[in-house]
Amino acid sequence: NDHVYEALLIRKDSDDFDFEPHTVLKEPVIIDVIKKSGMLYQYAKLKEDKPRKNKDVFKRPPADPDDMVSRPAVVTVMGHVDHGKTSLLDTLRKTSVAAGEAGGITQHIGAFSVKLPSMEVITFLDTPGHAAFSAMRARGAHVTDIVVLVVAADDGVMGQTIESIHHATHSQVPIIVAINKIDKSDADPDFTKKDLLAHGVHIEELGGDIQAVEISAVQGTNVDVLTEAIAAQAEMMELKADVKGFVEGTILESRLDKGQGPIATVLVQRGTLKKGCVLVAGTSRCKVRGMFNEHRQPLKIALPSTPVEITGWKGLPSAGEEMLQVETEKKAKEVTDWRIVEKKEKLLSEEKEIIQLKAEEQKAAHTQKMMERSKLHWKEYHRLQVDKNKKLMEEQKDRNDPVLNVILKGDVDGSMEALLNMFHTYNCHDLCDLQLAHWGVGMVTIKDIEMAQMFNGIVYGFNVTVHPEAQILARKEGVTIKLHKVIYKLLDDLKDDLSSKLPLKE
Ligand code: GDP
């Protein structure tokens, strides 16, 4: 079609797919050239018998439970807009600063850890709402151990509350409810609890197994009770991780810093992250140059469930992408190069598919249009023929001009259209007039024979059969039926019939 071209080019024997225009290539390969809106994309596909070596890197199989050690819980705060997620995270972050770890202000890095008086640590993902959770889920990343569902006691269960419940349930992540804004005069925690029950959240107080804590995020009331409830839930879950071997983690956030280049907040989930570790995430790679916590304090190591900001990236990784450690920078480049090519090919094949789909759609639309047009054409044609036939019937009574009357039956619309178009050319025969007395799609019927009888015509059938009754009638009335399966043979036959009608030359 107009958009997709296949060309055979010659290329040099190398694994590199990118080539400059006019490159001299020695080995023939299929190059798909896709031209779309003036842009030319090119890519080379290696010969089928020489599949590319998979250079990707994958997660290791799960470690032996005996080799694993306890790790902090990773918590996401979710809930309806304005119910107090940001306020709660702010209060919790202040707790983290107050815990004395830092000498200053907490930075927003996408996550932070809180140390409880009991010395337990909880990691909060500081990207409240669904966007973060959905992005992670869409990438198949599983980073959250517990969801804190914030519900404002003056508002009750709302749209995004229900969505959050669904998110948590589908991901099989336990929920802890924070009934917020209890300081407000119109707060009705009891109603909120019943409301939650009606939406499948069975809280302990009402005989279920989900913890609910009444809090005021802005005043800080019961926020410590909430963190204790989280710690209790975490303890029950016996969260563990393997701290040995290659690091595995997830990208939580990334940004481009003017001075330091790409920076990503990552959550370590396995192994121990150190300066100098070589990582890959999506098509980006990193040799860890600097590692910081949310207080901008440099860290020497980061254990599982620790969120850290790291510098040293080549490329900007995306939230939700899996981060894996590899042996060397060379290996990291190999992996990301391989992924870049894979991504390019995937995009191209998707694009090709879209172009093909569009072409098919266009073709279908064209066919539809043609059919409608030909129907119109046929209708018009038919009306004209009926008028002409009537006139002719009358005229023929008076004149003796040779006329060949034809009844035409075809198998499908398409072949009828083709035949009718060809009949037009014979219609202007100056010596013998070709009259299409009647035509239609389908088998030859009694009606066709009757028409032939009336006009003293011949029945032509293309790829059709004759109804037995019509056969009998035709034989009885002496009507000729000619069946053909090849258009030009039908036309030859027709020409012969026309000639036979011509007056003998003087
Ligand atoms: P988010 O959209 O869920 O992040 O909600 P915010 O944390 O931005 O809170 C929305 C509004 O509710 C803000 O004006 C907060 O000050 C207010 N708010 C949040 N928590 C409380 C609370 O415990 N008590 C009261 N009175 N107001 C609150």
Side-chain angles (χ1 to χ4, degrees):
N1 60 45
D2 288 348
H3 302 291
V4 183
Y5 303 89
E6 273 206 341
L8 194 67
L9 297 189
I10 313 289
R11 80 181 196 95
K12 208 160 38 179
D13 190 32
S14 102
D15 276 355
D16 199 343
F17 297 110
D18 294 320
F19 53 89
E20 296 295 316
H22 313 301
T23 306
V24 178
L25 306 157
K26 282 181 187 156
E27 187 195 340
V29 292
I30 304 287
I31 313 269
D32 286 331
V33 181
I34 297 174
K35 195 176 179 217
K36 197 190 154 202
S37 43
M39 278 164 56
L40 197 68
Y41 297 91
Q42 297 178 314
Y43 87 111
K45 226 198 265 163
L46 269 185
K47 283 199 297 192
E48 296 299 316
D49 57 341
K50 244 208 249 161
R52 268 186 310 124
K53 207 176 143 221
N54 190 332
K55 288 180 179 157
D56 211 347
V57 62
F58 303 97
K59 271 186 176 173
R60 287 175 288 146
D64 194 318
D66 292 342
D67 292 340
M68 303 218 260
V69 297
S70 294
R71 64 167 177 88
V74 180
V75 178
T76 301
V77 175
M78 297 181 88
H80 195 69
V81 65
D82 277 348
H83 277 201
K85 297 179 293 291
T86 314
S87 306
L88 175 61
L89 284 162
D90 282 347
T91 307
L92 287 163
R93 207 185 291 107
K94 274 180 213 139
T95 320
S96 132
V97 181
E101 299 224 342
I105 315 134
T106 319
Q107 294 232 138
H108 173 91
I109 67 162
F112 60 89
S113 296
V114 171
K115 198 181 253 175
L116 307 188
S118 56
M119 297 312 282
E120 272 155 307
V121 175
I122 304 170
T123 296
F124 287 93
L125 298 191
D126 194 4
T127 25
H130 314 261
F133 202 83
S134 303
M136 303 270 170
R137 228 172 58 141
R139 289 207 162 87
H142 186 83
V143 291
T144 308
D145 300 308
I146 297 165
V147 161
V148 168
L149 180 67
V150 178
V151 193
D154 60 342
D155 208 16
V157 173
M158 302 298 286
Q160 284 161 299
T161 319
I162 297 169
E163 268 178 43
S164 307
I165 296 168
H166 287 166
H167 270 310
T169 323
H170 281 144
S171 312
Q172 293 181 314
V173 177
I175 293 175
I176 292 174
V177 179
I179 297 174
N180 192 28
K181 305 196 187 183
I182 52 157
D183 57 293
K184 286 184 83 170
S185 57
D186 56 347
D188 190 348
D190 288 337
F191 172 79
T192 305
K193 286 173 199 167
K194 282 181 200 134
D195 208 4
L196 280 162
L197 189 66
H199 288 92
V201 180
H202 301 268
I203 61 175
E204 279 176 349
E205 213 183 306
L206 299 175
D209 55 358
I210 293 174
Q211 302 185 76
V213 184
E214 294 176 21
I215 64 160
S216 166
V218 285
Q219 293 185 359
T221 320
N222 282 349
V223 170
D224 54 342
V225 181
L226 178 67
T227 49
E228 287 305 329
I230 297 169
Q233 174 70 43
E235 204 186 318
M236 224 166 65
M237 293 167 80
E238 293 183 11
L239 301 165
K240 284 185 172 177
D242 168 22
V243 294
K244 284 184 247 139
F246 274 9
V247 171
E248 291 173 12
T250 302
I251 306 292
L252 297 178
E253 266 190 18
S254 66
R255 63 192 165 90
L256 207 56
D257 184 271
K258 265 188 198 153
Q260 308 201 62
I263 300 183
T265 303
V266 309
L267 181 75
V268 178
Q269 291 169 298
R270 189 175 186 181
T272 304
L273 186 63
K274 300 182 192 84
K275 235 179 174 178
C277 277
V278 181
L279 308 164
V280 293
T283 53
S284 310
R285 59 198 160 94
C286 175
K287 182 170 182 182
V288 181
R289 187 161 16 108
M291 211 160 64
F292 308 90
N293 66 10
E294 67 269 27
H295 310 299
R296 280 309 284 174
Q297 291 169 317
L299 297 175
K300 283 211 165 66
I301 59 158
L303 290 164
S305 289
T306 312
V308 281
E309 238 193 10
I310 51 180
T311 57
W313 288 94
K314 265 206 164 62
L316 198 63
S318 311
E321 270 174 352
E322 182 182 76
M323 178 188 81
L324 298 171
Q325 186 181 354
V326 294
E327 299 92 334
T328 56
E329 282 181 274
K330 185 172 170 260
K331 173 71 184 167
K333 187 175 179 325
E334 236 176 53
V335 171
T336 51
D337 281 355
W338 194 87
R339 288 179 177 179
I340 288 165
V341 173
E342 279 284 291
K343 203 168 153 183
K344 219 193 266 178
E345 278 198 0
K346 204 174 149 221
L347 279 175
L348 267 160
S349 68
E350 275 170 15
E351 197 149 348
K352 249 172 97 174
E353 219 169 89
I354 290 169
I355 292 171
Q356 258 161 19
L357 277 174
K358 273 196 188 146
E360 268 162 38
E361 266 171 31
Q362 269 173 10
K363 211 167 126 191
H366 179 74
T367 312
Q368 180 76 22
K369 215 156 93 188
M370 285 303 285
M371 292 224 349
E372 269 159 27
R373 195 189 290 167
S374 68
K375 257 186 228 153
L376 270 180
H377 166 78
W378 287 18
K379 270 186 202 157
E380 180 75 352
Y381 191 81
H382 192 56
R383 194 178 58 75
L384 289 174
Q385 282 297 329
V386 170
D387 291 350
K388 199 172 164 194
N389 284 341
K390 267 189 206 153
K391 224 166 93 192
L392 254 161
M393 287 268 277
E394 281 152 20
E395 278 176 16
Q396 267 180 34
K397 281 175 196 157
D398 314 325
R399 292 192 304 135
N400 266 328
D401 279 356
V403 170
L404 177 66
N405 284 311
V406 169
I407 286 87
L408 179 67
K409 294 301 287 273
D411 55 347
V412 288
D413 279 5
S415 53
M416 276 311 292
E417 194 189 356
L419 283 167
L420 287 173
N421 284 337
M422 287 190 223
F423 269 44
H424 267 305
T425 43
Y426 292 106
N427 212 8
C428 359
H429 207 287
D430 51 357
L431 291 174
C432 173
D433 208 0
L434 173 73
Q435 281 303 312
L436 194 63
H438 176 71
W439 57 266
V441 173
M443 72 191 318
V444 178
T445 60
I446 288 192
K447 195 182 161 206
D448 300 320
I449 306 300
E450 284 168 355
M451 291 296 278
Q453 205 189 338
M454 188 159 82
F455 285 100
N456 191 23
I458 298 174
V459 179
Y460 278 90
F462 179 71
N463 266 340
V464 291
T465 51
V466 182
H467 192 276
E469 282 178 27
Q471 191 77 268
I472 294 165
L473 182 69
R475 218 170 286 144
K476 200 172 127 212
E477 300 295 335
V479 171
T480 315
I481 305 175
K482 294 184 167 186
L483 301 178
H484 286 277
K485 284 194 185 310
V486 183
I487 284 191
Y488 77 82
K489 282 194 178 153
L490 190 151
L491 291 172
D492 278 352
D493 201 356
L494 185 76
K495 256 189 266 177
D496 288 347
D497 280 334
L498 269 173
S499 308
S500 71
K501 286 271 180 179
L502 291 180
L504 286 170
K505 271 188 189 154
E506 308 272 300

Coordinates of all heavy atoms in Angstrom, one line a residue, residues 211-269:
Q211 N -7.7 -2.8 61.1 CA -7.5 -1.8 62.1 C -7.9 -0.4 61.6 O -7.7 -0.1 60.5 CB -6.0 -1.7 62.5 CG -5.4 -3.0 63.0 CD -4.0 -2.8 63.5 OE1 -3.8 -2.2 64.6 NE2 -3.0 -3.1 62.7
A212 N -8.6 0.3 62.5 CA -9.0 1.7 62.2 C -8.5 2.6 63.4 O -8.7 2.2 64.5 CB -10.5 1.8 62.0
V213 N -7.9 3.7 63.0 CA -7.4 4.7 64.0 C -8.1 6.0 63.8 O -8.0 6.5 62.6 CB -5.9 4.7 64.0 CG1 -5.4 5.6 65.2 CG2 -5.3 3.4 64.2
E214 N -8.6 6.6 64.8 CA -9.2 8.0 64.6 C -8.1 9.0 64.8 O -7.5 9.0 65.9 CB -10.4 8.2 65.6 CG -11.5 7.2 65.3 CD -12.7 7.4 66.3 OE1 -12.7 8.4 67.0 OE2 -13.5 6.4 66.4
I215 N -7.9 9.8 63.8 CA -6.7 10.7 63.9 C -7.1 12.2 63.5 O -8.2 12.4 62.9 CB -5.5 10.3 63.1 CG1 -5.9 10.4 61.6 CG2 -5.0 9.0 63.4 CD1 -4.7 10.5 60.6
S216 N -6.3 13.1 63.9 CA -6.3 14.4 63.3 C -4.9 14.7 62.7 O -4.0 14.8 63.5 CB -6.7 15.5 64.3 OG -6.4 16.8 63.8
A217 N -4.9 14.7 61.4 CA -3.6 14.8 60.8 C -2.9 16.1 61.0 O -1.7 16.2 61.3 CB -3.7 14.6 59.2
V218 N -3.7 17.2 61.0 CA -3.2 18.5 61.2 C -2.8 18.8 62.7 O -1.8 19.4 63.0 CB -4.1 19.7 60.7 CG1 -4.1 19.8 59.2 CG2 -5.5 19.6 61.3
Q219 N -3.5 18.2 63.6 CA -3.2 18.4 65.0 C -2.3 17.4 65.6 O -1.8 17.4 66.7 CB -4.5 18.5 65.9 CG -5.3 19.8 65.5 CD -6.5 19.9 66.4 OE1 -6.8 19.1 67.3 NE2 -7.2 21.0 66.2
G220 N -2.1 16.3 64.8 CA -1.2 15.3 65.2 C -1.8 14.3 66.2 O -1.1 13.3 66.6
T221 N -3.1 14.4 66.4 CA -3.7 13.5 67.4 C -3.7 12.1 66.9 O -4.1 11.8 65.7 CB -5.2 13.9 67.6 OG1 -5.3 15.4 67.6 CG2 -5.8 13.3 68.8
N222 N -3.3 11.2 67.8 CA -3.3 9.7 67.5 C -2.4 9.3 66.3 O -2.5 8.1 65.9 CB -4.7 9.2 67.3 CG -5.4 9.0 68.6 OD1 -4.8 9.1 69.6 ND2 -6.7 8.8 68.5
V223 N -1.6 10.1 65.8 CA -0.7 9.7 64.7 C 0.3 8.7 65.2 O 0.6 7.7 64.4 CB 0.0 10.9 64.0 CG1 1.1 10.5 63.0 CG2 -1.0 11.8 63.3
D224 N 0.7 8.8 66.5 CA 1.5 7.7 67.0 C 0.8 6.4 67.2 O 1.4 5.3 66.9 CB 2.1 8.2 68.4 CG 1.0 8.6 69.4 OD1 -0.1 8.9 68.9 OD2 1.3 8.7 70.6
V225 N -0.5 6.5 67.5 CA -1.3 5.2 67.5 C -1.3 4.6 66.2 O -1.2 3.4 66.0 CB -2.7 5.5 68.1 CG1 -3.5 4.2 68.2 CG2 -2.7 6.2 69.4
L226 N -1.5 5.4 65.1 CA -1.5 4.9 63.8 C -0.2 4.2 63.4 O -0.2 3.1 62.9 CB -1.8 6.1 62.8 CG -1.8 5.7 61.3 CD1 -3.0 4.8 61.0 CD2 -1.9 6.9 60.4
T227 N 0.9 4.9 63.8 CA 2.2 4.2 63.4 C 2.4 2.9 64.2 O 3.0 2.0 63.7 CB 3.4 5.2 63.7 OG1 3.3 5.8 65.0 CG2 3.4 6.3 62.6
E228 N 1.9 2.9 65.4 CA 2.0 1.6 66.2 C 1.1 0.6 65.5 O 1.5 -0.6 65.5 CB 1.5 1.9 67.7 CG 2.5 2.7 68.5 CD 3.9 2.0 68.5 OE1 4.1 0.8 68.4 OE2 4.9 2.8 68.6
A229 N 0.0 1.0 65.0 CA -0.9 0.0 64.4 C -0.2 -0.5 63.1 O -0.3 -1.7 62.8 CB -2.2 0.7 64.0
I230 N 0.5 0.3 62.4 CA 1.2 -0.1 61.2 C 2.3 -1.1 61.6 O 2.5 -2.1 61.0 CB 1.8 1.1 60.5 CG1 0.7 2.0 60.0 CG2 2.7 0.6 59.3 CD1 1.2 3.4 59.4
A231 N 3.0 -0.7 62.7 CA 4.1 -1.6 63.2 C 3.6 -3.0 63.6 O 4.2 -4.0 63.3 CB 4.8 -1.0 64.4
A232 N 2.4 -3.0 64.2 CA 1.8 -4.3 64.6 C 1.4 -5.1 63.4 O 1.7 -6.3 63.4 CB 0.6 -4.0 65.5
Q233 N 0.9 -4.4 62.4 CA 0.5 -5.1 61.2 C 1.8 -5.7 60.5 O 1.8 -6.9 60.1 CB -0.2 -4.1 60.2 CG -0.5 -4.7 58.8 CD -1.6 -5.7 58.9 OE1 -2.6 -5.6 59.6 NE2 -1.4 -6.8 58.1
A234 N 2.8 -4.9 60.5 CA 4.1 -5.3 59.9 C 4.7 -6.5 60.6 O 5.1 -7.4 59.9 CB 5.1 -4.1 59.8
E235 N 4.6 -6.5 61.9 CA 5.2 -7.6 62.7 C 4.4 -8.9 62.3 O 5.1 -9.9 62.2 CB 5.0 -7.3 64.1 CG 6.0 -8.0 65.0 CD 5.8 -7.8 66.5 OE1 5.5 -6.6 66.9 OE2 5.9 -8.8 67.2
M236 N 3.1 -8.8 62.2 CA 2.3 -9.9 61.9 C 2.7 -10.5 60.5 O 2.6 -11.7 60.3 CB 0.9 -9.5 61.8 CG -0.1 -10.4 62.5 SD -1.7 -9.6 62.7 CE -2.2 -9.3 61.0
M237 N 3.1 -9.6 59.6 CA 3.4 -10.0 58.2 C 4.8 -10.6 58.1 O 5.1 -11.2 57.1 CB 3.3 -8.8 57.3 CG 1.9 -8.3 57.1 SD 1.8 -6.7 56.3 CE 2.0 -7.2 54.6
E238 N 5.6 -10.5 59.2 CA 7.0 -11.0 59.2 C 7.7 -10.7 57.9 O 8.2 -11.6 57.2 CB 7.0 -12.5 59.4 CG 6.5 -12.9 60.8 CD 6.5 -14.4 61.0 OE1 7.1 -15.1 60.2 OE2 5.9 -14.8 62.1
L239 N 7.9 -9.4 57.6 CA 8.5 -9.0 56.4 C 10.0 -9.2 56.4 O 10.7 -8.8 57.4 CB 8.2 -7.5 56.1 CG 6.7 -7.1 56.1 CD1 6.5 -5.6 56.2 CD2 6.1 -7.6 54.8
K240 N 10.5 -9.9 55.4 CA 11.9 -10.2 55.4 C 12.5 -10.0 54.0 O 11.8 -9.9 53.0 CB 12.1 -11.7 55.7 CG 11.9 -11.9 57.2 CD 12.2 -13.4 57.6 CE 12.2 -13.5 59.1 NZ 12.4 -14.9 59.5
A241 N 13.8 -9.8 54.0 CA 14.5 -9.7 52.7 C 15.9 -10.2 52.8 O 16.5 -10.4 53.9 CB 14.6 -8.2 52.3
D242 N 16.5 -10.5 51.6 CA 17.8 -11.1 51.5 C 18.8 -9.9 51.3 O 18.6 -9.0 50.4 CB 17.8 -12.0 50.2 CG 19.1 -12.4 49.8 OD1 20.1 -12.3 50.6 OD2 19.3 -12.7 48.6
V243 N 19.7 -9.7 52.2 CA 20.6 -8.6 52.1 C 21.9 -8.9 51.4 O 22.8 -8.0 51.2 CB 21.0 -8.0 53.6 CG1 19.7 -7.5 54.2 CG2 21.6 -9.1 54.4
K244 N 22.0 -10.1 50.9 CA 23.3 -10.5 50.2 C 23.1 -10.5 48.7 O 22.0 -10.5 48.2 CB 23.7 -11.9 50.7 CG 24.3 -11.9 52.1 CD 24.8 -13.3 52.5 CE 23.9 -13.8 53.6 NZ 23.6 -15.2 53.6
G245 N 24.2 -10.5 48.0 CA 24.2 -10.6 46.6 C 23.7 -9.3 45.9 O 23.7 -8.3 46.5
F246 N 23.5 -9.5 44.6 CA 23.1 -8.3 43.8 C 21.9 -7.6 44.2 O 20.9 -8.2 44.6 CB 23.0 -8.8 42.3 CG 24.3 -8.8 41.6 CD1 25.5 -8.7 42.3 CD2 24.4 -9.0 40.2 CE1 26.7 -8.7 41.6 CE2 25.6 -9.0 39.5 CZ 26.8 -8.9 40.2
V247 N 21.9 -6.3 44.1 CA 20.8 -5.5 44.5 C 19.7 -5.5 43.6 O 19.8 -5.6 42.3 CB 21.3 -4.0 44.6 CG1 20.1 -3.0 44.9 CG2 22.4 -3.9 45.7
E248 N 18.5 -5.6 44.1 CA 17.2 -5.5 43.3 C 16.4 -4.4 44.0 O 16.4 -4.2 45.2 CB 16.4 -6.8 43.3 CG 17.1 -7.9 42.6 CD 16.4 -9.2 42.7 OE1 15.3 -9.3 43.2 OE2 17.0 -10.2 42.3
G249 N 15.7 -3.6 43.2 CA 14.9 -2.5 43.7 C 13.9 -1.9 42.7 O 13.8 -2.5 41.6
T250 N 13.3 -0.8 43.1 CA 12.4 -0.2 42.2 C 12.6 1.3 42.2 O 12.9 1.9 43.2 CB 10.9 -0.5 42.7 OG1 10.7 -1.9 42.7 CG2 9.9 0.2 41.7
I251 N 12.5 1.9 41.0 CA 12.6 3.4 40.9 C 11.3 4.0 41.5 O 10.2 3.6 41.0 CB 12.8 3.8 39.5 CG1 14.0 3.1 38.8 CG2 12.9 5.4 39.4 CD1 15.3 3.4 39.3
L252 N 11.4 4.9 42.4 CA 10.2 5.6 43.0 C 10.0 6.9 42.3 O 8.8 7.3 42.0 CB 10.4 5.8 44.5 CG 10.5 4.5 45.3 CD1 10.7 4.9 46.8 CD2 9.2 3.7 45.2
E253 N 11.0 7.7 42.1 CA 10.9 9.0 41.5 C 12.2 9.3 40.7 O 13.2 8.7 41.1 CB 10.7 10.1 42.5 CG 9.3 10.4 42.8 CD 9.1 11.6 43.7 OE1 10.0 12.4 43.9 OE2 8.0 11.7 44.3
S254 N 12.2 10.2 39.8 CA 13.4 10.6 39.2 C 13.3 12.1 38.7 O 12.2 12.6 38.5 CB 13.8 9.8 38.0 OG 12.8 9.9 37.0
R255 N 14.4 12.8 38.7 CA 14.4 14.2 38.3 C 15.7 14.5 37.7 O 16.7 13.8 38.0 CB 14.0 15.1 39.5 CG 15.0 15.1 40.6 CD 14.5 15.8 41.8 NE 15.3 15.5 43.0 CZ 16.4 16.2 43.3 NH1 16.7 17.2 42.6 NH2 17.1 15.8 44.4
L256 N 15.7 15.6 37.0 CA 17.0 16.1 36.4 C 17.5 17.3 37.2 O 16.8 18.3 37.3 CB 16.7 16.4 34.9 CG 17.9 16.3 34.0 CD1 18.5 14.9 34.0 CD2 17.4 16.7 32.6
D257 N 18.7 17.1 37.8 CA 19.2 18.2 38.6 C 20.3 19.0 37.7 O 21.1 18.3 37.0 CB 19.9 17.7 39.8 CG 20.4 18.8 40.7 OD1 21.6 19.2 40.5 OD2 19.7 19.2 41.6
K258 N 20.2 20.3 37.7 CA 21.1 21.1 36.8 C 22.6 20.7 37.1 O 23.3 20.5 36.2 CB 20.9 22.6 37.1 CG 19.9 23.1 36.0 CD 19.8 24.6 36.1 CE 18.6 25.2 35.5 NZ 18.1 26.4 36.0
G259 N 22.9 20.6 38.4 CA 24.3 20.4 38.7 C 24.7 18.9 38.6 O 25.7 18.5 38.1
Q260 N 23.8 18.1 39.2 CA 24.2 16.7 39.4 C 23.6 15.7 38.3 O 23.9 14.5 38.4 CB 23.7 16.2 40.7 CG 24.1 17.1 41.8 CD 24.1 16.4 43.2 OE1 24.8 15.4 43.4 NE2 23.3 16.9 44.1
G261 N 22.9 16.2 37.4 CA 22.4 15.4 36.3 C 21.2 14.6 36.8 O 20.5 15.0 37.8
P262 N 20.9 13.4 36.2 CA 19.7 12.7 36.6 C 19.9 12.1 38.0 O 20.9 11.6 38.4 CB 19.7 11.5 35.6 CG 20.6 11.9 34.5 CD 21.6 12.8 35.1
I263 N 18.8 12.3 38.8 CA 18.8 11.7 40.2 C 17.6 10.9 40.3 O 16.5 11.3 39.8 CB 18.7 12.9 41.2 CG1 19.9 13.8 41.0 CG2 18.6 12.3 42.6 CD1 20.0 14.9 42.0
A264 N 17.7 9.7 41.0 CA 16.5 8.9 41.1 C 16.4 8.5 42.6 O 17.4 8.2 43.3 CB 16.6 7.7 40.3
T265 N 15.2 8.5 43.1 CA 14.9 7.9 44.4 C 14.5 6.4 44.1 O 13.6 6.2 43.3 CB 13.7 8.6 45.1 OG1 14.1 10.0 45.3 CG2 13.5 8.0 46.5
V266 N 15.3 5.6 44.8 CA 15.0 4.1 44.6 C 14.7 3.5 45.9 O 15.1 4.0 47.0 CB 16.2 3.4 43.9 CG1 16.6 4.2 42.7 CG2 17.4 3.3 44.9
L267 N 13.9 2.4 45.8 CA 13.7 1.6 47.0 C 14.5 0.3 46.9 O 14.2 -0.4 45.9 CB 12.2 1.3 47.1 CG 11.8 0.5 48.3 CD1 11.8 1.4 49.6 CD2 10.4 -0.1 48.2
V268 N 15.4 0.1 47.8 CA 16.1 -1.1 47.7 C 15.2 -2.3 48.3 O 14.6 -2.1 49.3 CB 17.4 -1.0 48.6 CG1 18.2 -2.3 48.6 CG2 18.3 0.1 48.1
Q269 N 15.2 -3.4 47.5 CA 14.3 -4.5 48.0 C 15.1 -5.8 48.2 O 14.5 -6.7 48.8 CB 13.2 -4.7 46.9 CG 12.2 -3.5 46.9 CD 11.3 -3.6 45.7 OE1 11.7 -3.5 44.6 NE2 10.0 -3.7 46.0

